[in-house]
Amino acid sequence: KDRRAATTQRVTAMGIAAARLAGLNQRLRFGAVGNFEYVKTGLKLGDLYGNRFSIVLRDVTALDEAVKTACEELAQGGFVNYYGRQRFGSTSISTDKVGLQLLKSNWEEAARLILCPRPGEKDEHSAARLAYQETRNADKALRDLPPWFHVERSVIEGYKRHGKDSHSNALQAVARNMRLMYVHAWQSSVWNKMASERIKRYGSTNAVAGDLIVESGD
């Protein structure tokens, strides 16, 4: 959705004038900023109440009756709001696996998962990862890995700075919001599993003791 949708999002920026932000519109290619206002506190994790989407289905080949039935069932029964690929990544080493190792304080394994080759990625990227595993040559790895491999490069720079056995310090070189992303991915994985178990035990049509109910304002 973030890659293909036309979205509107609220953000806060500290210590910058609205007029300066508005100047970004001269350079932004696929977006715009506006509707500025000054607030006393910035947005933080947990402030989002929810999302609202308008979804368009194109090139539908099913019969009209089948589409109508599917929409009615969706409107009546809803769907399980699982966390999806965006939260866990699209490679064989998902972000939740790294998050679990961080929660266990298994720093070496967390770093290994971040740096090890991934099936399906470009050969030169896998070769750079593998070469670092075998030689621990940080300078060569930093030359070979592309600049957008921010996390991998940060970990390798951390090893270069603190030593090849300083796994915790190497991970500390990763931006804090990225480290939190791994932990949140594990939390999301747990939520998915618990949601599935709840549906398996009690179905999806009725509330049971322990459910958190949010009343709709619509």
Side-chain angles (χ1 to χ4, degrees):
K1 62 178 177 61
D2 289 335
R3 180 177 298 178
R4 297 179 177 86
T7 66
T8 302
Q9 302 180 41
R10 293 182 179 273
V11 298
T12 53
M14 184 174 67
I16 185 170
R20 186 178 176 189
L21 284 175
L24 290 173
N25 289 323
Q26 299 176 7
R27 301 194 298 273
L28 291 173
R29 294 180 59 196
F30 302 110
V33 293
N35 295 334
F36 302 109
E37 63 177 315
Y38 291 97
V39 294
K40 294 182 179 179
T41 58
L43 293 173
K44 60 183 182 300
L45 190 68
D47 285 345
L48 179 65
Y49 181 79
N51 295 311
R52 183 181 297 275
F53 300 100
S54 296
I55 299 174
V56 178
L57 302 178
R58 295 186 174 91
D59 302 322
V60 177
T61 58
L63 297 176
D64 290 348
E65 189 61 32
V67 173
K68 180 181 178 182
T69 300
C71 290
E72 290 174 348
E73 290 177 352
L74 180 61
Q76 182 176 357
F79 59 91
V80 183
N81 196 20
Y82 288 115
Y83 290 97
R85 179 176 294 183
Q86 182 182 11
R87 181 58 58 97
F88 305 117
S90 57
T91 69
S92 59
I93 302 174
S94 55
T95 52
D96 60 303
K97 294 178 181 177
V98 179
L100 176 59
Q101 299 309 315
L102 291 176
L103 287 169
K104 288 182 173 181
S105 299
N106 289 342
W107 314 125
E108 182 176 6
E109 178 62 9
R112 187 194 70 80
L113 288 172
I114 290 172
L115 295 176
C116 70
R118 281 128 168 86
E121 70 178 352
K122 291 185 177 180
D123 292 342
E124 58 267 31
H125 298 163
S126 288
R129 292 178 187 270
L130 189 60
Y132 180 74
Q133 280 188 338
E134 295 174 347
T135 66
R136 306 293 283 185
N137 187 329
D139 290 328
K140 184 177 187 308
L142 292 172
R143 286 196 304 270
D144 293 343
L145 285 173
W148 57 87
F149 277 41
H150 302 293
V151 176
E152 291 88 344
R153 294 178 66 88
S154 294
V155 173
I156 292 172
E157 287 170 352
Y159 277 127
K160 179 181 178 181
R161 193 158 48 243
H162 299 287
K164 64 180 182 180
D165 295 321
S166 298
H167 310 296
S168 176
N169 288 329
L171 290 167
Q172 287 293 325
V174 177
R176 181 175 181 273
N177 66 319
M178 286 300 302
R179 299 198 309 270
L180 283 175
M181 181 201 72
Y182 289 121
V183 175
H184 294 159
W186 173 250
Q187 292 175 323
S188 300
S189 176
V190 172
W191 193 95
N192 281 357
K193 292 178 175 132
M194 293 301 295
S196 293
E197 185 63 24
R198 189 252 181 255
I199 299 299
K200 178 181 176 182
R201 293 189 183 190
Y202 306 112
S204 60
T205 56
N206 297 307
V208 297
D211 283 346
L212 178 63
I213 306 300
V214 179
E215 292 184 349
S216 173
D218 296 338

